[in-house]
Amino acid sequence: IPLLWVGVLVVIGLVLIGDVATTREVVRESTLLGDSELVTRDVSDFTSGQTTTLVILVVLGAIVYLWFFLASIVSVVRGADRALEGKEHLKLRPAMRDALRETPKLFGLGLLFYLLAAVAFVAVVAVVAIVAAVAGPLAILVGIAGFLLLVWAGVRVFLWPFVHLSEHAGVDAYRRAWRPSKGRFWSLAGVLLLVTIVVSVVSVVVSLVLQLLVVGAASLSDAVGVVAIVPYAIFSTAFSLVVVAG
């Protein structure tokens, strides 16, 4: 659904923006072998109206795509909860309706969580700066201690989205997340580190392969390149959902 929505916005954008003037320029680009070469390319020269239209469409596309992507995460957690409770899985329509209704609250809690995390990070930096002004060498130890404290707190509250979705906890999910993580810091940290490494490596490989395929298709013709973006988006989204489910 979000991919279809983005596709509709692309068509609308092509109609509203119309012809785009281009400027030819010569730039030096690095090659895979480490040297460089001069490349001539056409750079789009948007008018102010075209730029405004493009920004509005990109923002609309991003909002809807993010909303539905978060909803897919919600549906995965809801489905897992129902399976653990021995309940029958929801049909597609009620599952989507439930997930889309829950997404704005999850998004708001996520913004609040990252805002609090940013405040905590700034506080640690401020303390390190104050210590550095008084006793320079000690600031290194304080910085390391502050970093470890942030990591410890982050791992302890990592489960808050799942606590919220399972228990409808709201802001209290931050506090409740401490309960299941008590006494499990090292196991949670180890699993998170392992998953992060595996997901990062696999994501880089999959993304690189997909991007090379799109670039290769685009080298044939612009039309083929545009068409190639569709399977790229589909495979990228499918891979993201597999990662979330895992």
Side-chain angles (χ1 to χ4, degrees):
I1 290 177
L3 290 175
L4 290 175
W5 167 249
V6 171
V8 170
L9 288 182
V10 169
V11 174
I12 294 175
L14 292 174
V15 174
L16 294 180
I17 293 176
D19 294 330
V20 179
T22 58
T23 302
R24 179 159 295 183
E25 63 178 22
V26 179
V27 296
R28 183 171 293 278
E29 292 184 349
S30 299
T31 65
L32 293 176
L33 299 178
D35 53 356
S36 61
E37 61 183 3
L38 291 176
V39 178
T40 302
R41 62 185 182 186
D42 294 327
V43 180
S44 299
D45 188 13
F46 293 101
T47 64
S48 59
Q50 289 174 328
T51 301
T52 302
T53 301
L54 186 62
V55 169
I56 292 174
L57 292 176
V58 168
V59 171
L60 285 175
I63 290 174
V64 174
Y65 188 88
L66 179 61
W67 187 16
F68 274 83
F69 182 73
L70 286 177
S72 68
I73 296 175
V74 173
S75 66
V76 169
V77 178
R78 290 277 200 246
D81 278 344
R82 294 183 68 87
L84 289 173
E85 295 170 2
K87 297 180 180 178
E88 183 181 359
H89 70 274
L90 290 176
K91 301 298 182 182
L92 179 60
R93 186 173 296 179
M96 288 179 59
R97 190 163 52 239
D98 173 64
L100 290 171
R101 186 169 53 244
E102 190 64 41
T103 297
K105 185 183 297 183
L106 180 65
F107 181 75
L109 289 171
L111 286 180
L112 178 60
F113 176 78
Y114 286 111
L115 177 62
L116 294 174
V119 171
F121 178 78
V122 170
V124 170
V125 172
V127 171
V128 172
I130 294 173
V131 174
V134 178
L138 184 59
I140 298 177
L141 296 177
V142 174
I144 294 175
F147 172 75
L148 294 177
L149 179 62
L150 291 177
V151 171
W152 175 78
V155 172
R156 287 295 307 273
V157 299
F158 174 77
L159 297 174
W160 75 261
F162 311 104
V163 173
H164 162 69
L165 293 175
S166 297
E167 303 178 10
H168 303 281
V171 178
D172 196 41
Y174 306 140
R175 182 186 62 83
R176 294 191 194 182
W178 286 80
R179 186 179 61 221
S181 63
K182 183 178 180 181
R184 297 185 175 91
F185 170 79
W186 291 111
S187 58
L188 278 174
V191 169
L192 289 175
L193 181 61
L194 178 62
V195 170
T196 300
I197 293 174
V198 172
V199 169
S200 298
V201 172
V202 175
S203 297
V204 169
V205 173
V206 172
S207 298
L208 182 60
V209 171
L210 291 176
Q211 289 172 17
L212 288 175
L213 291 176
V214 172
V215 171
S219 65
L220 299 176
S221 70
D222 292 340
V224 175
V226 171
V227 173
I229 293 177
V230 176
Y232 170 78
I234 292 174
F235 282 119
S236 297
T237 304
F239 175 73
S240 299
L241 293 181
V242 170
V243 171
V244 170

